[in-house]
Amino acid sequence: MTDRGRSRARALVGAYRRGGLPAVRPAFWAARAVRSVRAQLSRRTMDDIRLPGPPDVAAAHPGVVRGVLRRTGANCSERCLVLQRWYGGQRVARTVVIVVTAPSSGFHAHAWLDGDSDAEREAMVEILRRPVPPAWLTPRRGAAEAWAGRR
């Protein structure tokens, strides 16, 4: 098993310990979402990222989702996109903010969700705001509704 595989397994076990079986679904979703965002960012722009909605029980387990992001080594842009999708599943619009330092002081980029505090904010210049895609704010369809929609 690779180091990433071990960290995903530890994240799922930690989720189970923290919240029991209901917490495993959001943990599994978060681990898959990180892997998906990581792969998509290597081939696409941020506006082209597609993520499935979080499970309905995810709203009750924000610490589990953040724990998985930490354990899987998600960087700031991966973390922001997964959390933006997680919040969107609850119909909460959060904007991703991307900032950079001046090239003369050594280039550095960083991202966070608008409304979160960040110590690096003062020393950087904002270059982009990515609002939540409208499709991410729609309610998740239940299995019965999804099945009826296929007919």
Side-chain angles (χ1 to χ4, degrees), residues 14-29:
Y16 180 76
R17 286 182 182 151
R18 258 192 307 257
L21 202 52
V24 173
R25 286 187 63 215
F28 187 68
W29 171 83

Side-chain angles (χ1 to χ4, degrees), residues 12 19 21 40 46 56 62 64 69 74 79-80 107 110 118 139:
L12 292 173
L21 202 52
Q40 290 181 64
M46 195 176 270
D56 294 334
V64 167
L69 292 172
R79 183 175 52 252
C80 285
F107 181 78
H110 188 51
D118 196 282

Side-chain angles (χ1 to χ4, degrees), residues 5 7 14 23 42-43 47 52 59 61 107 122 135:
S7 66
S42 69
R43 301 184 311 266
D47 290 333
H61 300 284
F107 181 78
E122 299 303 320

Side-chain angles (χ1 to χ4, degrees), residues 26-104:
F28 187 68
W29 171 83
R32 287 183 60 208
V34 169
R35 187 174 58 223
S36 178
V37 164
R38 194 170 278 150
Q40 290 181 64
L41 282 175
S42 69
R43 301 184 311 266
R44 300 178 179 175
T45 66
M46 195 176 270
D47 290 333
D48 296 328
I49 298 297
R50 302 289 179 257
L51 286 175
D56 294 334
V57 297
H61 300 284
V64 167
V65 172
R66 289 182 186 276
V68 169
L69 292 172
R70 191 173 43 257
R71 285 183 182 88
T72 56
N75 65 31
C76 58
S77 58
E78 295 163 350
R79 183 175 52 252
C80 285
L81 289 168
V82 171
L83 286 174
Q84 187 180 48
R85 183 62 181 108
W86 181 78
Y87 279 112
Q90 299 168 55
R91 298 185 199 162
V92 176
R94 300 287 305 270
T95 300
V96 173
V97 178
I98 299 180
V99 296
V100 295
T101 58
S104 61

